Amino acid sequence: MAKILLAILMLIAVAFSAIYFQNSRAPELGVVSGKLMELGSRPNSVASQTADEQKRVLPLAMKESAEATHKAIKAAIKQYGGAEIITETSDYIYAVFTTPLMKYHDDVEFYIDSIAQQVHFRSASRAGYSDRGLNRQRYEALAMSYEKN
């Protein structure tokens, strides 16, 4: 019985170590040729530029200017809470959202495409397989807040 308990504890420790490792490593992100990086195969992400219909969300409409759009995005991030803006340029914002309970990190990007007059969005969990819809819910909350700002 002690060997079984020890084996179970070892499996739990390995699982938590793997999740911690995934959660601590920021992926390569950014805009390349007008596109945010493609999503991975796990069902824990959404994006406006993905080819995967189940993970696709609509891009946001730009405000009257890139500056007003940038300001509204930052206000939506602040209102949502739990985020730290990591990178910010005139047409791009990258923030890391941290879940309150388990402290999982989710990478969220906004790309202001002034030519198409759209804001592209990408949100992906670093750790785990499924996010139980959290990234889509975050998109919906941020989109609603953005529209009001």
Side-chain angles (χ1 to χ4, degrees):
M1 185 61 138
K3 287 183 181 183
I4 293 172
L5 183 58
L6 183 60
I8 291 171
L9 290 174
M10 292 294 289
L11 285 173
I12 292 171
V14 168
F16 276 110
S17 295
I19 290 170
Y20 176 80
F21 179 72
Q22 287 177 332
N23 197 43
S24 65
R25 293 184 49 200
E28 288 189 38
L29 300 172
V31 179
V32 177
S33 300
K35 290 198 71 161
L36 296 168
M37 298 294 179
E38 185 57 52
L39 301 173
S41 61
R42 297 178 296 175
N44 62 357
S45 54
V46 296
S48 61
Q49 293 178 313
T50 185
D52 186 337
E53 284 292 324
Q54 292 184 328
K55 296 180 182 184
R56 186 173 298 144
V57 295
L58 295 174
L60 306 171
M62 273 187 68
K63 302 287 184 184
E64 61 276 2
S65 68
E67 294 80 18
T69 300
H70 197 275
K71 184 178 176 182
I73 292 168
K74 286 183 69 174
I77 291 170
K78 183 176 181 181
Q79 287 171 354
Y80 188 90
E84 177 185 359
I85 295 176
I86 306 298
T87 305
E88 182 178 352
T89 66
S90 62
D91 65 351
Y92 177 77
I93 297 174
Y94 163 46
V96 174
F97 286 77
T98 303
T99 62
L101 181 62
M102 298 298 289
K103 305 297 182 202
Y104 290 137
H105 294 189
D106 296 341
D107 299 292
V108 177
E109 299 174 282
F110 297 86
Y111 166 53
I112 302 168
D113 183 349
S114 295
I115 295 169
Q117 294 290 295
Q118 295 179 327
V119 179
H120 290 291
F121 179 86
R122 181 183 189 278
S123 182
S125 300
R126 287 185 191 174
Y129 182 75
S130 174
D131 67 347
R132 292 183 274 169
L134 176 63
N135 284 294
R136 185 170 297 278
Q137 291 167 10
R138 179 182 296 118
Y139 160 78
E140 290 168 359
L142 288 167
M144 188 180 307
S145 181
Y146 169 80
E147 292 301 322
K148 291 178 183 177
N149 289 315

